[in-house]
Amino acid sequence: MRGADGRTTIPTRVAGLGGTLQQPLPPLAVPRGRPPQPVGAGRRTAVRERAGRRLYAIDGIRLLAALMVAVHHYAGTHRVDQPGNAIWDRPVSDIMPTVFRFASYGWIGVEIFFVISGFVICMSCWGRSPRQFFVSRVMRLYPAYWFAVAFTTAVLVALPGVWDRLRARDVLLNLTMLQSGSGVMNVDGVYWTLWSELRFYLLFLLVVATGLTYRKVVVFCCAWGAAAMLAPVSGLPLLELLANPDGAWYFIAGLALYLMHRFGQDLLLWGILAMAWLMGQRELGLRIDEVEHVSGWRGSVLIFTVFLLAMVAIALGATDRVQGKWLVTAGALTYPLYLTHYAAGTTLINRLRDTMDARVLVGVVLAGFLVLSWLVHRFVERPVAGMVKRGLDTSFARMRNARGAA
């Protein structure tokens, strides 16, 4: 209510009169130096502050996913469970049935990589220019990859009989990381995932070039998801190549999770994540039917769902207290381990399978590749990435200067 002088008043009952008296309402006290905050401002500020912190839990999940994939390749694939296979010589389910039962689901680590990639790429590109995005991806991907191509080729030359060796010209083309686009085989079969990653980077670069915002990333997720659904029935090979229907929804899930992390949850982001889960569970089933042939759909979907829930917890800050330098190291080992473990590791198992218990052998080979991964990170990735960055920065600076001179 307002009094005759225009000031806000509150009704106050006068004792014994049974009526009310209009009294002025005292002005609200506002702390000096701090303007009134809108409703929800504190929560949004806390979300933005959280968005700038390192997420150590993701480093741990990345290494776990890499170990899942490695154990799967050593002891859980359809190939190693065949009689007379080149790696174990007899079905691995006969040699170590319990390990095989769990390892048969390890391929889901690849889908986990894709989700994490969507999250991390969006996080690392926020506020960066296309040039910075390009330089960061080259620095991150190529040094360890070049080493892996050379290392794996050397192992296959020295220890033939398990994997076919590529011609020298095809090995050299593998150094570009573009061999899948030219119809050339990979030096190591695990490199197929890099082709999916590169197509994701190419599409996302278009968004980075316009400046990342919540709205633009949401529109990108919806547009890419629609293209991925239409591509298989469109009859357009180029659309299917760019839309990447086999992997698109995993990357989209990662993008939605990062938006939750940076801006907080809302119904639209939950809807995108739910759609990604629904499309993802179908892709899991297709991969089991067409490629893996060793695991069940229900178990695969359960593992994928648990992982997505863990990522939701990370995005919403439930794991902010999880810290440790060892987790940073664990995350750094992931990429070199993934690149080097498969062809070279199964070749070593072929040579050593009669020297010790199969379970011990898998553990020893894994430990050896973890050590190799640390060496690659310390003595290849770090120094080469630094040189690549300096060289690319110089090249882009020269381009800017040349454009200004013209």
Side-chain angles (χ1 to χ4, degrees):
M1 298 177 64
R2 293 191 177 273
D5 60 355
R7 298 176 64 185
T8 303
T9 61
I10 56 174
T12 303
R13 185 167 300 277
V14 180
L17 297 179
T20 60
L21 175 68
Q22 304 297 329
Q23 292 187 344
L25 182 68
L28 294 175
V30 178
R32 290 188 177 181
R34 179 185 298 177
Q37 297 294 310
V39 175
R43 182 179 65 84
R44 290 195 296 270
T45 300
V47 169
R48 282 194 292 268
E49 289 177 352
R50 189 172 70 238
R53 300 172 186 167
R54 185 182 184 92
L55 299 174
Y56 292 87
I58 286 184
D59 291 315
I61 292 179
R62 287 170 59 197
L63 182 61
L64 176 62
L67 292 173
M68 286 172 59
V69 173
V71 173
H72 172 69
H73 285 150
Y74 295 161
T77 65
H78 180 68
R79 179 182 185 183
V80 299
D81 200 41
Q82 300 304 302
N85 68 83
I87 298 168
W88 293 100
D89 192 45
R90 58 195 180 102
V92 74
S93 60
D94 294 344
I95 303 172
M96 39 184 171
T98 302
V99 173
F100 172 77
R101 191 174 302 115
F102 287 98
S104 64
Y105 288 92
W107 57 270
I108 302 171
V110 170
E111 280 66 28
I112 293 174
F113 282 144
F114 287 163
V115 175
I116 292 176
S117 181
F119 188 105
V120 172
I121 292 303
C122 193
M123 176 173 63
S124 61
C125 291
W126 208 276
R128 289 191 174 189
S129 66
R131 176 184 64 81
Q132 291 171 320
F133 174 72
F134 175 80
V135 172
S136 68
R137 290 302 88 202
V138 172
M139 288 170 49
R140 181 71 183 94
L141 292 179
Y142 276 95
Y145 175 75
W146 289 329
F147 172 86
V149 170
F151 170 77
T152 301
T153 300
V155 171
L156 298 187
V157 169
L159 302 173
V162 179
W163 299 100
D164 294 332
R165 196 173 71 219
L166 299 186
R167 295 174 296 182
R169 62 188 182 189
D170 292 338
V171 173
L172 291 174
L173 185 61
N174 266 251
L175 294 173
T176 67
M177 207 182 287
L178 304 175
Q179 62 274 8
S180 294
S182 302
V184 172
M185 291 184 62
N186 296 302
V187 167
D188 192 319
V190 300
Y191 298 167
W192 72 267
T193 62
L194 300 177
W195 185 235
S196 289
E197 294 274 354
L198 288 176
R199 285 179 284 169
F200 165 50
Y201 298 159
L202 177 63
L203 291 175
F204 200 62
L205 179 60
L206 300 177
V207 189
V208 174
T210 65
L212 293 182
T213 65
Y214 170 89
R215 179 178 180 275
K216 290 176 182 178
V217 177
V218 166
V219 170
F220 173 77
C221 289
C222 295
W224 190 18
M229 285 189 289
L230 295 173
V233 296
S234 67
L236 300 173
L238 181 60
L239 177 60
E240 189 162 4
L241 176 67
L242 292 175
N244 188 16
D246 295 338
W249 284 102
Y250 302 118
F251 293 112
I252 290 171
L255 294 173
L257 286 163
Y258 179 70
L259 291 180
M260 283 188 182
H261 174 67
R262 187 177 185 88
F263 297 101
Q265 58 183 311
D266 59 46
L267 184 59
L268 181 58
L269 296 179
W270 278 111
I272 294 173
L273 190 61
M275 181 64 76
W277 182 88
L278 290 170
M279 298 300 292
Q281 61 82 26
R282 180 180 180 276
E283 291 299 329
L284 293 176
L286 290 176
R287 184 168 173 185
I288 291 170
D289 295 340
E290 298 173 2
V291 180
E292 300 300 337
H293 309 297
V294 290
S295 51
W297 173 82
R298 289 182 179 85
S300 301
V301 172
L302 176 62
I303 295 171
F304 182 63
T305 303
V306 169
F307 160 71
L308 278 186
L309 292 175
M311 286 298 295
V312 168
I314 293 172
L316 299 182
T319 61
D320 285 353
R321 293 186 179 182
V322 176
Q323 297 183 10
K325 290 185 178 180
W326 70 273
L327 287 170
V328 178
T329 302
L333 298 182
T334 301
Y335 185 52
L337 174 63
Y338 179 79
L339 292 176
T340 60
H341 80 276
Y342 183 33
T346 49
T347 298
L348 291 175
I349 289 175
N350 167 266
R351 292 299 194 273
L352 301 173
R353 66 192 179 202
D354 297 324
T355 62
M356 64 187 79
D357 180 84
R359 291 162 296 186
V360 174
L361 176 57
V362 169
V364 168
V365 172
L366 268 178
F369 276 96
L370 284 170
V371 172
L372 175 64
S373 300
W374 183 85
L375 294 173
V376 171
H377 172 66
R378 178 65 181 83
F379 297 105
V380 177
E381 282 191 302
R382 284 185 180 179
V384 176
M387 290 187 290
V388 169
K389 183 180 186 305
R390 289 190 295 271
L392 289 176
D393 286 343
T394 300
S395 299
F396 280 113
R398 181 173 296 171
M399 289 173 60
R400 287 195 303 271
N401 294 335
R403 185 169 62 248

